[in-house]
Amino acid sequence: MSNNSIDASIYENLTSELRRGLSMLAVLSQCEELQYGYSLKQRLGEAGLDVSEGTLYPLLRRLEGQGLLESRWEVVDDQRPRRYYQLSATGRATLAQLLDEWKNLVASLERLGIAKE
Amino acid sequence: MKAQEWIDRYVFAVGEALPLHERKDVEAEIRSLIHDELDARSNGAGEDVDETVVLEVLQHFGRPEELAARYHAPRSLIGPALYPIFRIVSTIVLTVLFGVWLFGVAIDVGMYQRPFTNPLGMFGDLIGGLLQTFGTLVLIFALVETFLRGQLEAEIAAERKKEPWNPKSLPKVESTERPKIGELVIGIGFNLIAILIFNAYPQWISAIFVRDGEITRMPLLSENFAVFVPWLTLLWTLPIALSVLVLIRGRWQPLTRWLQIGLSVFGIAILGWMLVSGPLLAWEALEPVATIIIAIVFAVAIIDVAVQVFRQIRRQARDMQSA
C-alpha cells in the first residue's frame, strides 16, 4: 500500500465521526416539532443528510437519555404504538448554544479557507 | 416463512444483546420503527407485507448486535460485544458453584440426616462464594473490555467484512418468557426463611399461652414431622437454585419451565406422603384440621400442575407450528 492511498476503514471512521456531530445537531434542530423516528429520517434524507436507521434511532434514545429530548408513546390509527420525540426545555437551550457554536466553527473554517462558498 | 416471523426474530436478537432493564422498551421501539419503514415501502399493506421487503428493511437496520451496541450506553464495564459471552460464562460458573454447594447440602441432610447446625453461616458462605466468583468474573471481563476492546472490535469488524450479514441467518425465536424479578426474589426470600426456621429454629413453630402471668410455649409439630424436614428443605432449596438460574439467564425457557413443573410434582409427593403417614401435630385434637388443610393444598397443587403442564404443552405446540 502506498502512503498516499486511503485506508477505507480509516476514511469510514473519519466520515462517521464528522457526520455524528452534524447528525446530532440536525436531529435536535428538527425536533422542535414532534417527530417520530421514520418521519425524522425522511426529513433528513430529503435535506440530503442520509442517516442510517442503525445510527438515527439509537441517537434519539441517547439524546433522550441526556435529557435533551422528551418522548411519549402514542397509538397510531388505533393499531400500534409509535414513539414520538420532541425537544425538552434543556434541549431547546442546548440547541441554541450548539447553533452558536456551529456558527463559530463555520466562521473559523471560512477563515481557514475550508468552508468558503 | 411469514414476514412477521423475521421481524420477531430480529427484535428478539436485538433484545438478547441488551441488558434486561432496557430490553422491553427498546424492543417495542424497534418493532414500531420497522413497521413504520414497512408501511412506507408497502403503502400500508400491514400484515400482508412481502417477506422480501421485510428482509430488505432488516438488512438496512443492520446486525442486531451492532444496533443493540448503539442503543447501549457507550461507556460500560462490560459492553454489548462482550455481554453475551459474559452471561454464558457467569451462568455456567455460578450454576456449577451453586450445584456443588447444593450437592453438599443434599448429602448432609438427605443421606446422613444431619440438621443444619449453622444455617446462617452456610448460606453466608454460599452467598459470599457466589458474590466473590461473580465479582472476579466481572473484573476479568471489565479488564478485557478496557484493554482489548479496540483489538476485539477490529477483529470482529474484519471477520464481518469477509461475510456480509444476511437476515436469513437469524436464529428462531425461542419459547421464552421474561421472568418477574420481584416475584422470584420474594420466592427466594420466603424459601430461605422457611429453611432457616424449620432447620435452625423449629421451636418457633409453637403455640404461646399466658397463664397466671407466665408464658408457656407448646410445640405444634409432632416428633414424626422431623422425618419430613430434610425433604422439605430440599423442596425449598431446589426452587432457589431454579430462580437463581432464571434470574441469571433473564428468561424462562422450556427446560426451566419443566424443571419448575417437576418441583411442583415433588411437592405434591411430599404432601401425599404427609397425608398418609401422620401424625403431623403434637396435639391430637388438631390433627384433623391439619389433614384437611394439607388435603386442600394437595388438591390445589395437583390442579396447578395440570394447568402448568397444559400451558407448557400449548406454548411448545405453538412454537413448533411457527418453526
Side-chain angles (χ1 to χ4, degrees), chain B residues 101-149:
Chain B
W101 179 85
L102 206 60
F103 184 70
V105 172
I107 295 283
D108 263 6
V109 177
M111 287 179 71
Y112 300 116
Q113 305 268 309
R114 274 186 212 144
F116 290 158
T117 47
N118 182 14
L120 281 178
M122 275 179 74
F123 284 114
D125 287 347
L126 170 72
I127 290 164
L130 287 174
L131 284 176
Q132 198 176 3
T133 310
F134 185 71
T136 310
L137 286 172
V138 170
L139 184 68
I140 292 168
F141 275 84
L143 288 172
V144 172
E145 179 81 30
T146 309
F147 296 110
L148 299 178
R149 182 171 47 195

Side-chain angles (χ1 to χ4, degrees), chain B residues 76 193 223:
Chain B
S76 52
I193 291 168
E223 282 180 13

Side-chain angles (χ1 to χ4, degrees), chain A residues 8-9 12 36-38 41-42 52-55 57-62 64 73 76 80-83 85, chain B residues 22 25-26 28-29 31-33 35-37 39-41 57 60-61 66-67 70-74 161:
Chain A
S9 66
E12 210 175 291
Y36 61 95
Y38 185 74
K41 183 176 167 288
Q42 287 294 97
S52 73
E53 291 87 342
T55 302
Y57 301 143
L59 173 64
L60 286 167
R61 294 274 301 200
R62 285 206 301 276
E64 188 196 18
W73 284 95
V76 187
R80 59 181 179 80
R82 181 187 275 159
R83 191 177 214 137
Y85 291 89
Chain B
E22 282 183 56
D25 197 38
V26 174
E29 182 161 28
R31 191 179 288 280
S32 159
L33 291 164
H35 281 289
D36 281 337
E37 298 266 355
D39 283 352
R41 286 174 191 234
V57 166
H60 275 274
F61 270 72
E66 281 179 2
L67 185 64
R70 290 188 183 127
Y71 267 98
H72 201 63
K161 220 162 219 174

